[in-house]
Amino acid sequence: MHPAPRLAQTQHAVSSRVFGVDFLPPLPPPAPPPTHAAPSAVHPATRAGHDAPARQPSDPTTAAGPPGSIIEPAPGPADPARAEAHQRLGQILARYKADAPHRHFVTAFTNIVFGEGDPRARLMFVGEAPGADEDRTGRPFVGRAGQLLERMITAMGLSRQSVYIANVLKTRPPNNATPTLDECARCLPYLMMQIAAVRPEAIVTLGLTATRALLTTDLTMSRLRGQWQTLAVPDAQPALSVQVMPTFHPAFLLRQYTAENRAKVWSDLQAVMTRLGIKPTGVG
Ligand code: URA
């Protein structure tokens, strides 16, 4: 190995051990798999025997649509379980559009931000609601908090395309306000349907709002963070219970980017990696 990458790798390992990980892997992430070819090795976040997710940065469905348009879920990949999950996600989106639960509380939005990623991801991330960048593009977690989330995902040895990312609310709350209990309750059934379609093995909830909404609890983040919880997903066929790891929201981490907070989040993500048998790229 060239000395520079080795040095960077050592620094990364030391910083992750001593100061708290900075979520930047020392080496560039591996190139994404080709769009139509099956990968030579099964991706750690991809179910054994299933193709790796096909979504690419140039995928037209990731582009912003005209105002009021809806960004559809990722294109349906080859294997039957993933194709079925993709189809179900499309049906859930159609139902969401028909029901429009946001009509009770949103006065204006540009795009519905439904969720995106591998329809059969082993790992799902759940945030609270779209912000301005997400509203503009129709994609979850693409602003500053999203960029940090992506670095966290990369530090885990995964790619954004190999996980599934969604929010409790699918539309931007007025004035970016924290969603109320009523707003969360109106939108939660659609998130539960998404979880039942994707059937992830683990979910990372990002921040207190998403954690409380999904787990129906009023415990504080200091009590919830870092502790595995079990979510029984209503109406899943077959029955589904998913392990949930609550952690800090990346927006909170950006505001309080201390070594202590980063170490806490990294420790939560490492618990997830251990459960799923994922090894981070380039961490010594
Ligand atoms: N914060 C969230 O909770 N979700 C997003 O999609 C973006 C920011």
Side-chain angles (χ1 to χ4, degrees):
M1 186 191 296
H2 189 275
R6 193 183 306 123
L7 178 64
Q9 213 167 50
T10 308
Q11 284 170 342
H12 183 79
V14 169
S15 67
S16 63
R17 268 197 302 273
V18 181
F19 303 114
V21 74
D22 70 357
F23 300 112
L24 268 180
L27 301 172
T35 307
H36 297 297
S40 53
V42 174
H43 191 281
T46 301
R47 288 158 208 268
H50 293 182
D51 287 353
R55 196 181 194 98
Q56 300 295 303
S58 60
D59 186 331
T61 63
T62 64
S69 74
I70 288 164
I71 306 302
E72 303 292 335
D79 80 272
R82 183 166 284 111
E84 191 188 321
H86 171 70
Q87 195 184 11
R88 281 197 63 198
L89 288 168
Q91 290 163 352
I92 298 162
L93 172 57
R95 185 158 164 197
Y96 179 91
K97 284 159 63 177
D99 296 350
H102 51 266
R103 73 184 187 281
H104 296 284
F105 53 88
V106 165
T107 45
F109 65 93
T110 309
N111 284 299
I112 287 173
V113 181
F114 181 67
E116 69 178 28
D118 182 351
R120 289 285 283 156
R122 294 178 65 203
L123 179 59
M124 191 161 167
F125 288 86
V126 173
E128 64 177 52
D133 294 310
E134 291 76 22
D135 179 61
R136 188 174 43 77
T137 59
R139 300 181 59 207
F141 281 99
V142 292
R144 276 191 75 223
Q147 283 158 22
L148 178 55
L149 175 62
E150 215 163 309
R151 284 162 61 199
M152 288 157 52
I153 292 170
T154 306
M156 295 174 79
L158 304 175
S159 68
R160 189 181 164 108
Q161 292 83 0
S162 68
V163 300
Y164 192 86
I165 305 175
N167 285 303
V168 181
L169 265 60
K170 315 298 187 201
T171 49
R172 185 186 186 208
N175 305 319
N176 258 5
T178 302
T180 64
L181 287 179
D182 176 62
E183 290 165 359
C184 288
R186 287 183 187 278
C187 297
L188 190 62
Y190 305 89
L191 176 63
M192 289 294 193
M193 285 184 240
Q194 285 174 290
I195 296 169
V198 177
R199 300 186 70 84
E201 288 165 47
I203 297 173
V204 175
T205 49
L206 302 164
L208 187 61
T209 305
T211 304
R212 282 186 168 170
L214 203 60
L215 298 173
T216 328
T217 175
D218 56 8
L219 289 177
T220 60
M221 206 54 196
S222 58
R223 293 284 301 279
L224 290 161
R225 206 222 92 240
Q227 308 291 327
W228 284 111
Q229 313 285 330
T230 303
L231 171 70
V233 183
D235 304 322
Q237 291 292 337
L240 175 66
S241 89
V242 184
Q243 291 302 298
V244 177
M245 173 57 71
T247 196
F248 292 142
H249 195 288
F252 166 81
L253 205 51
L254 281 173
R255 285 195 302 275
Q256 301 195 28
Y257 204 66
T258 63
E260 189 189 356
N261 286 341
R262 274 149 44 213
K264 283 180 180 168
V265 172
W266 184 232
S267 133
D268 301 343
L269 298 181
Q270 281 179 308
V272 174
M273 289 153 64
T274 302
R275 182 172 280 273
L276 298 187
I278 297 166
K279 288 199 167 41
T281 43
V283 176

